[in-house]
Amino acid sequence: ILERMENLYRTTLDDKIKPRTATYNAIIDAWAKSGEPDAAARAELLLAHMMDLYETGHNVDAKPNVRSFNSVLNAWAKSGNSIAPEQAGELLTRMEELDASGEWELSPDATSFATAINVFARSHAFGK
């Protein structure tokens, strides 16, 4: 459905159907709740897509925000994947680095850290 929406926007440039940050966040959140085995990886791919759209100027209204990252962290927390703790740590680091760049307002918040802790707790890798 998102691909259809993006294609329709590209062909019509109708602002009423332009995917925005909230649109992408809703889809990332849906992946987090889906229970699909590859949901966390798909959520992270969508986050990368958002970043690409924003950075290239193709859709500046798709700029990821803290909620975007927190939703991906949540997807990793629910994934049961053995690489989830590593991915969560990398996401937090990426948020801090992007925030430090000055172009992004992505300082991890309490939810970011709590969700990352949840990733580690669920993975039985706590303390690593």
Side-chain angles (χ1 to χ4, degrees):
I1 294 173
L2 176 61
E3 187 177 326
R4 192 166 147 193
M5 185 179 188
E6 288 177 328
N7 288 335
L8 190 57
Y9 173 70
R10 271 193 296 275
T11 58
T12 66
L13 297 177
D14 183 350
D15 233 26
K16 292 182 291 191
I17 55 171
K18 184 178 188 179
R20 292 178 166 70
T21 302
T23 309
Y24 292 98
N25 286 352
I27 296 166
I28 291 171
D29 192 50
W31 276 117
K33 294 175 180 174
S34 73
E36 293 292 320
D38 63 343
R42 304 258 326 240
E44 192 146 357
L45 282 173
L46 189 51
L47 177 63
H49 179 60
M50 291 174 72
M51 294 184 76
D52 182 60
L53 287 170
Y54 176 75
E55 289 175 331
T56 61
H58 288 113
N59 185 350
V60 296
D61 293 325
K63 184 177 184 179
N65 57 23
V66 173
R67 181 163 185 244
S68 310
F69 279 80
N70 288 350
S71 294
V72 174
L73 284 166
N74 189 40
W76 283 113
K78 294 179 177 185
S79 73
N81 194 310
S82 62
I83 66 166
E86 181 181 336
Q87 295 300 113
E90 288 176 11
L91 275 172
L92 285 175
T93 299
R94 192 174 333 148
M95 289 176 78
E96 292 170 332
E97 289 171 353
L98 289 167
D99 187 61
S101 77
E103 184 179 340
W104 304 81
E105 294 176 14
L106 289 172
S107 181
D109 62 11
T111 300
S112 308
F113 287 104
T115 306
I117 290 167
N118 192 23
V119 172
F120 280 86
R122 288 181 178 210
S123 73
H124 307 290
F126 204 73
K128 292 186 178 179

